[in-house]
Amino acid sequence: MDAIQQRHLTLPNDINTVPQLNEFIDGVCEEAGIDMATTMSLNLALEEAVVNVMSYAYPQGTEGLVDIDVVSGNGHIDFIISDSGQPFDPTDKGEVDTTLSAEERPIGGLGIHLIRQIMDDVVYEYRDGKNILTLKKHI
């Protein structure tokens, strides 16, 4: 049985801190022995989810925080993204119809579509005044 690893990162809602997120994810994946291709796709999914929180969770001009907790071991890695911004469930978006042309598709929804393609499970809950998005990947 793998040892359970836990890591935590808190970022302000400032997209200029995304390189810190990428560095954090790279380090977590390296510790967990995850290959580079998977690490790159996890970085993409996490960046999409975290940038959405940074951009939309808090009213324009308001400072807020995004917490990223990682739990890995026993063949999986979980990324728990939480914020105390406005309640928003990205998982209640329907599946994106990728057969439509870009002009025909409604705006939005591609980020969660991308996250669903990369991750094995995506779960949202609103608890104790916080949005909690858990992204799970079997490794």
Side-chain angles (χ1 to χ4, degrees):
M1 182 155 81
D2 293 337
I4 299 293
Q5 301 275 349
Q6 294 188 328
R7 296 286 174 267
H8 176 85
L9 176 68
T10 299
L11 293 172
N13 60 332
D14 177 352
I15 60 170
N16 292 319
T17 61
V18 167
Q20 286 174 254
L21 172 68
N22 298 141
E23 198 174 294
F24 174 72
I25 302 301
D26 288 347
V28 164
C29 289
E30 191 175 318
E31 275 181 27
I34 297 172
D35 65 87
M36 186 53 78
T38 305
T39 297
M40 288 172 63
S41 62
L42 289 173
N43 245 316
L44 187 61
L46 268 291
E47 186 174 316
E48 181 63 40
V50 171
V51 166
N52 278 345
V53 171
M54 289 176 170
S55 301
Y56 304 115
Y58 299 98
Q60 193 72 34
T62 308
E63 290 186 18
L65 298 174
V66 184
D67 288 300
I68 301 101
D69 288 286
V70 183
V71 179
S72 63
N74 297 328
H76 66 87
I77 188 163
D78 296 351
F79 297 91
I80 302 112
I81 302 162
S82 58
D83 67 84
S84 50
Q86 302 167 29
F88 176 72
D89 181 356
T91 65
D92 76 358
K93 288 263 184 220
E95 288 297 320
V96 173
D97 185 352
T98 54
T99 62
L100 295 176
S101 71
E103 293 78 30
E104 294 174 302
R105 266 199 304 262
I107 292 173
L110 282 178
I112 190 67
H113 175 74
L114 175 77
I115 293 167
R116 283 181 178 138
Q117 297 303 306
I118 293 170
M119 306 308 288
D120 294 311
D121 200 14
V122 179
V123 178
Y124 169 84
E125 62 180 318
Y126 187 77
R127 186 179 64 217
D128 300 328
K130 287 190 176 284
N131 291 294
I132 304 166
L133 184 65
T134 303
L135 310 179
K136 299 173 182 260
K137 182 75 173 172
H138 302 294
I139 50 173

